[in-house]
Amino acid sequence: MPPPAGPSWPLDDGLAVRDELLAAYADPERGYHDTTHLTEVLARVDELAAAGVPFEHLPVRLAAWFHDAVYDGERDAEERSAAWAEHALPGLVDDAVVVEVVRLVRLTESHRPEEGDANGCVLSDADLGILAAPAERYAAYVSDVRAEYAHLDDETFAAGRRVVLTDLVGKPRLFHTSYALERWEDAARANVAAELG
């Protein structure tokens, strides 16, 4: 199923913030972490919601919008994305939602939510869902990630990519909601194993 035409903003207002985020995701320097990625993550959040997975919809959807707001290949991108949310959201949502969005954005650095963290499990699963994509989409994803690191030679990129993927598949499970675990885990592990091979 193709993703929706564009990402759906979860607030009635804050359109200036939305437009700043859309501009960031549309930066031509981005390969994978672009508007398509944002749209796909939000579509997977919607899929999990439609399947009855319990979570707090507003903070998770806002965290999806902010989780790659800053993406430049530097190690502190998640922290700078969280800081953006912390600065932009007060006045649009209550303080507790701001705190939760910031926490969730930071969580996407490791994709290791605690077992009872429903919001973290949903956002992590939605973000990593690309790993379970059909072969053609997965190949495009890998190509787009490579484009983001065009400044690295092939050997350096391959070594770094291997570290990231090995860390991911070293987790007891890639996905944390029962829905994603049942439907995405095997395909994701097969895709990653094929890429590592």
Side-chain angles (χ1 to χ4, degrees), residues 113-177:
E114 296 293 325
E115 190 68 36
D117 179 4
N119 293 344
C121 289
V122 166
L123 183 61
S124 180
D125 286 3
D127 194 25
L128 292 182
I130 188 64
L131 298 177
E136 186 175 316
R137 177 67 185 110
Y138 188 86
Y141 148 69
V142 173
S143 176
D144 289 344
V145 170
R146 179 66 183 104
E148 287 183 333
Y149 292 91
H151 59 284
L152 299 178
D153 63 76
D154 287 344
E155 186 177 332
T156 304
F157 173 77
R161 179 77 175 157
R162 180 171 293 279
V163 167
V164 169
L165 293 177
T166 302
D167 179 63
L168 278 175
V169 296
K171 294 169 58 176
R173 57 191 201 184
L174 291 168
F175 299 104
H176 300 275
T177 64

Side-chain angles (χ1 to χ4, degrees), residues 9-11 57-67 89 93 97 101:
W9 181 240
L11 299 175
H57 292 220
L58 181 59
V60 171
R61 286 188 168 90
L62 284 170
W65 270 86
F66 278 95
H67 83 286
L89 288 175
V93 294
V97 173
V101 170

Side-chain angles (χ1 to χ4, degrees), residues 70-117:
V70 177
Y71 197 88
D72 54 12
E74 299 298 325
R75 290 190 179 273
D76 66 342
E78 286 87 1
E79 184 58 37
R80 286 179 287 143
S81 296
W84 187 346
E86 202 165 31
H87 173 77
L89 288 175
L92 295 175
V93 294
D94 66 45
D95 292 348
V97 173
V98 176
V99 169
E100 179 65 353
V101 170
V102 169
R103 181 188 76 81
L104 290 168
V105 171
R106 288 183 173 133
L107 181 66
T108 62
E109 183 172 4
S110 68
H111 296 100
R112 293 179 186 271
E114 296 293 325
E115 190 68 36
D117 179 4

